């Protein structure tokens, strides 16, 4: 079975001329005329990126999802291929309603009629991993029911094995391909798609995002009904709205498109810099806009299989870099790279600064509103590769999401200036992270631990200050005396911090 599938992959690759992409390498270019004579019947006039996209679509849904994931690695792929792969749509024919009913009956251990007051056997959406049906709970609540495809585990395991084999062959054949680490890319894809097979994980993602935006005037996130949710079935609040890609329909519904575009940017930066937790699959099929009177003009987020997370270090690094971009302060961009620890410590700042200037200066030689913030980030990643920077997976997800947000925003408002919209948000975030407000917030967060440790401090200080120095020579005694002096100063500083924390805690209470 695997051999037949592998032969089919080879046939599709030849039919769409993917070998021509490999033979375009200067070391193999001499082979191209001979191969093209043998395979004279092929039409290779279509651009290589388009042929690659068509080939992945012909190979099926798992390869489509792999192509979608590859499109996020713009730090590795040529621009034309990354742009084309981003067009891949995860649409497949639905599986029969009988199989859906069988899955639900097995998961709930009772007939579907006893679980739902009504269940629509016709799916409302179908993708490679799952499909969605509308239903109604016994209390009348309208819900959407997402059901995993039967046997999807075996299909994914089979195609992943083939992808890993193909990646290994590519690594052996091409030194350039080894630089792209194809087997590591396949492993990253395997982790992502296996996470999508557990719908409780997606439900938890949705629940977290809903909590983060519970009182938001800009974004709606559906409620999860946990009593009906398990690894194979996800039941959430049914949301209604207009897909964000239907701009004409939004305009007819009275939506202010310019305001909607700005709101999308604000939602994105709020997720990234306030929460460090963001929806990382924001293509038009997953974003709707509410048109009902109570929520008119609000975004609706759907499909939470892929989420990104950022640490405080990641957020600080990004904010400092973005603000340095705005000011064209390439030295600050370079030092931020070093401070983040993602560039080797022995990297010369002036060399990194010069590389960043070469890449970004042409970008800024145009009106700000024409500059893509996402593409600036991609350019920065590419410049960093020369200095052995390992781009973190969460940042590739961020870059992919930022490009999607920019695309959606400029589809709604061609004059959207992302820089003007984002700069005040970033400056406000930096002010919150530096100075007395940040110190007060951190001390308040640590206050319970400090108060709990207060009774122990006198005893610990007494033991530390009065402990005899180790028996040794004069140098060790001098070192011990110096250490005792430092300990006294540290004790004084610790006591002052405790006093400040207690005062702040009392004022907060």
């Amino acid at each position: 079975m695997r051999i037949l599938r592998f032969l089919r992959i080879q046939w599709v690759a030849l039919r769409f001329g993917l070998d021509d992409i490999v033979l375009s390498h200067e070391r193999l270019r001499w082979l191209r005329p001979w191969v093209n004579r043998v395979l004279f019947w092929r039409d290779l006039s279509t651009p290589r990126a388009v042929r690659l996209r068509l080939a992945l679509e012909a190979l099926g849904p798992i390869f489509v999802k792999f192509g979608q994931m590859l499109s996020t690695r713009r730090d590795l792929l040529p621009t034309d291929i990354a742009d084309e792969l981003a067009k891949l749509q995860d649409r497949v024919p639905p599986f029969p309603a009988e199989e859906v009913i069988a899955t639900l009956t097995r998961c709930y251990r009772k007939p579907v009629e006893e679980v739902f007051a009504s269940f629509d056997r016709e799916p409302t959406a179908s993708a490679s991993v799952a499909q969605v049906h509308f239903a109604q709970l016994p209390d009348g609540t309208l819900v959407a029911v997402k059901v995993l495809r039967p046997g999807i585990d075996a299909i994914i395991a089979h195609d992943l094995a083939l992808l890993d084999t193909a990646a290994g062959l590519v690594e052996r054949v091409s030194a350039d391909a080894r630089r792209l680490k194809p087997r590591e890319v396949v492993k990253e894809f395997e982790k992502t798609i296996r996470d999508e097979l557990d719908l409780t994980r997606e439900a938890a993602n949705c629940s977290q995002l809903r909590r983060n935006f519970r009182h938001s005037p800009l974004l709606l996130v559906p409620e999860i009904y946990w009593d009906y949710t398990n690894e194979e079935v996800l039941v959430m609040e049914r949301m209604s709205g207009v897909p964000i890609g239907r701009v004409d329909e939004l305009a007819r519904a009275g939506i202010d498109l310019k305001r909607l575009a700005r709101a999308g940017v604000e939602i994105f930066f709020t997720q990234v810099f306030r929460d460090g937790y963001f929806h990382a699959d924001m293509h038009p099929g997953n974003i709707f806009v509410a048109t009902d009177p109570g929520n008119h003009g609000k975004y609706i987020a759907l499909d939470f299989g892929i989420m990104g997370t950022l640490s405080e270090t990641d957020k600080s690094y990004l904010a400092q870099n973005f603000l340095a971009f705005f000011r064209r302060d390439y030295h600050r961009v370079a030092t931020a790279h070093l401070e983040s620890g993602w560039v080797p410590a022995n990297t010369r700042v002036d060399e990194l600064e010069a590389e960043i200037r070469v890449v970004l200066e042409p970008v800024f030689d145009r009106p700000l509103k024409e500059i893509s913030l996402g593409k600036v980030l991609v350019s920065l990643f590419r410049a960093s590769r020369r200095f052995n920077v390992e781009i973190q997976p969460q940042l590739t997800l961020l870059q992919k999401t930022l490009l999607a947000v920019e695309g959606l925003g400029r589809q709604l408002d061609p004059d959207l200036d992302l820089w003007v919209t984002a700069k005040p948000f970033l400056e406000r975030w930096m002010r919150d992270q530096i100075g007395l407000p940040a110190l007060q917030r951190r001390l308040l967060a640590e206050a319970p631990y400090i108060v709990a440790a207060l009774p122990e401090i006198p005893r610990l200080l007494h033991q530390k200050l009065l402990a005899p120095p180790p028996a040794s020579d004069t140098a060790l005694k001098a070192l011990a005396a110096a250490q005792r002096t430092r300990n006294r100063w540290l004790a004084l500083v610790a006591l002052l911090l405790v006093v400040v924390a207690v005062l702040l805690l009392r004022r907060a209470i």
Side-chain angles (χ1 to χ4, degrees), residues 102-113:
T103 298
L104 294 174
T105 302
R106 175 170 49 79
C107 289
Y108 294 131
R109 298 180 182 178
K110 62 175 71 172
V112 173
E113 293 78 13

Side-chain angles (χ1 to χ4, degrees), residues 270-317:
T270 299
Q271 290 181 71
V272 170
F273 290 106
R274 186 192 70 185
D275 305 325
Y277 188 78
F278 60 94
H279 193 301
D281 198 14
M282 294 182 67
H283 64 74
N286 289 339
I287 306 296
F288 284 58
V289 179
T291 56
D292 61 283
N295 297 299
H296 194 264
K298 288 187 179 181
Y299 280 84
I300 300 171
L302 299 172
D303 197 341
F304 309 91
I306 305 175
M307 305 294 288
T309 57
L310 297 171
S311 67
E312 290 299 322
T313 302
D314 294 333
K315 291 192 287 185
S316 178
Y317 161 79

